[in-house]
């Protein structure tokens, strides 16, 4: 079942607009272009996929403020998200003025080369995130493909933060979009939903943080690590578990002889 779901998920990500663009009105020309028969059948049935006018709103910018990593890497990463989530993402040259950068569009992912900054900075209320390529180049040595892969992966991680992957599946979660202090007044309290809390332990394990384990007092006494009792209930359990047997252990003779 997991395999089927995984395959269906991949199929869902196939960019149908590409199919529509690559298929001509001539089936013969389409075959010459290497278009798969399945895609050709879909095209002939549906006539291709169109973008409905005036439905997409807003734009996210990748602002390139460095020259260490080629801008083409940024464009490649932006194109993946633009296609998969069907939004406008633009890449442009610009500057990053910390701590008050100028936001471009509706949200901005800045890319910088700065030895004094960490690899990723995220300011969700201010609608920006940053990727610093300086630490990513260290250790790459004579293998530029490692540097390229690192940049692409951190761009993906940063965009995911900017786009709200920390949000809950439950509505009105405290981890929803907040762009000004007044937005916080809309939440009832500071309690997180269970789907968010469940993600903490596996992630914190990467930091070396491990949650404590719990057990009943009775089981702890039986296993020998319980502290001394602090009340009558615990004292009764302690005494019962540690009580000496009232009768000596009797070893009964064997009823059958052991075969040699």
């Amino acid at each position: 079942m997991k395999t089927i779901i995984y395959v269906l998920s991949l199929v869902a990500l196939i960019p149908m607009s590409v199919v529509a663009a690559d298929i001509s009105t001539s089936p013969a020309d389409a075959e010459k272009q290497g278009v798969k028969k399945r895609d050709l059948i879909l095209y002939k049935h549906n006539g291709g996929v169109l973008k409905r006018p005036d439905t997409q709103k807003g734009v996210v910018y990748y602002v390139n403020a460095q020259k260490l990593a080629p801008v083409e890497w940024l464009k490649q990463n932006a194109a993946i998200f633009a296609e998969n989530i069907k939004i406008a993402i633009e890449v442009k040259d610009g500057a990053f003025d910390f701590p008050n950068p100028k936001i471009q569009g509706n949200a901005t992912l800045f890319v910088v080369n700065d030895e004094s900054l960490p690899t990723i900075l995220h300011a969700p209320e201010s609608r920006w995130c940053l990727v610093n390529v300086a630490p990513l180049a260290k250790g790459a040595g004579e293998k530029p493909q490692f540097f390229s892969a690192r940049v692409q992966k951190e761009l993906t991680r940063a965009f995911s933060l900017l786009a709200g992957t920390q949000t809950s599946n439950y509505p009105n979660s405290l981890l929803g979009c907040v762009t000004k202090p007044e937005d916080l007044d809309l939440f009832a309290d500071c309690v997180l939903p269970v789907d968010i809390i469940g993600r903490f332990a596996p992630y914190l394990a990467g930091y070396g943080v491990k949650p404590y384990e719990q057990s009943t007092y009775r089981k702890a006494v039986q296993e020998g690590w319980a502290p001394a009792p602090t009340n009558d209930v615990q004292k009764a359990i302690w005494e019962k578990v540690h009580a000496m047997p009232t009768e000596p252990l009797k070893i009964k003779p064997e009823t059958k002889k052991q075969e040699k």
Side-chain angles (χ1 to χ4, degrees), residues 22-241:
D22 289 346
I23 298 178
S24 66
T25 55
S26 169
D29 291 342
E31 291 181 4
K32 291 180 181 179
Q33 296 169 16
V35 176
K36 295 180 180 180
K37 291 184 178 180
R38 178 199 62 187
D39 296 335
L40 181 58
I41 293 172
L42 288 173
Y43 176 74
K44 291 174 69 176
H45 179 73
N46 296 319
V49 178
L50 303 176
K51 294 181 180 179
R52 186 186 295 272
D54 302 322
T55 54
Q56 198 276 317
K57 305 293 183 182
V59 58
V60 175
Y61 275 97
Y62 281 43
V63 173
N64 183 34
Q66 55 82 49
K67 296 182 179 180
L68 182 60
V71 69
E72 288 301 320
W73 295 355
L74 280 64
K75 292 180 179 179
Q76 292 169 8
N77 192 268
I80 293 173
F81 287 111
E83 181 65 36
N84 285 339
I85 59 180
K86 298 176 175 58
I87 65 170
I89 303 179
E90 303 290 340
V91 179
K92 62 179 294 186
D93 291 332
F96 177 74
D97 298 320
F98 188 77
N100 298 306
K102 184 179 180 181
I103 301 301
Q104 305 290 327
N106 299 78
T108 305
L109 196 164
F110 294 96
V111 184
V112 304
N113 177 19
D114 192 323
E115 295 289 345
S116 65
L117 294 175
T119 309
I120 287 182
L121 281 177
H122 183 210
E125 283 82 1
S126 299
R127 297 181 287 124
W128 64 265
C129 197
L130 170 144
V131 170
N132 180 18
V133 300
L136 304 179
K138 295 179 180 179
E142 299 179 357
K143 297 181 178 180
Q145 65 270 25
F146 279 85
F147 179 43
S148 173
R150 289 176 181 177
V151 172
Q152 291 285 353
K153 291 170 184 177
E154 287 293 59
L155 286 173
T156 294
R157 286 166 57 86
F159 184 90
S160 299
L161 292 171
L162 188 64
T165 51
Q166 76 279 5
T167 56
S168 169
N169 292 324
Y170 292 87
N172 303 319
S173 163
L174 181 59
L175 295 183
C177 187
V178 173
T179 59
K180 56 185 182 296
E182 290 78 8
D183 290 341
L184 293 171
D185 302 334
L186 302 176
F187 302 111
D189 49 43
C190 61
V191 178
L192 290 174
V194 293
D195 62 334
I196 295 296
I197 295 176
R199 302 174 194 170
F200 289 167
Y203 194 92
L204 288 173
Y207 295 152
V209 177
K210 182 180 179 181
Y212 59 80
E213 298 177 359
Q214 289 182 303
S215 177
T216 63
Y217 186 77
R218 180 182 298 277
K219 186 175 181 181
V221 174
Q222 292 171 344
E223 293 178 349
W225 57 272
T230 58
N231 55 55
D232 293 340
V233 173
Q234 291 183 351
K235 184 178 180 181
I237 295 173
W238 178 280
E239 292 177 347
K240 183 176 181 180
V241 173

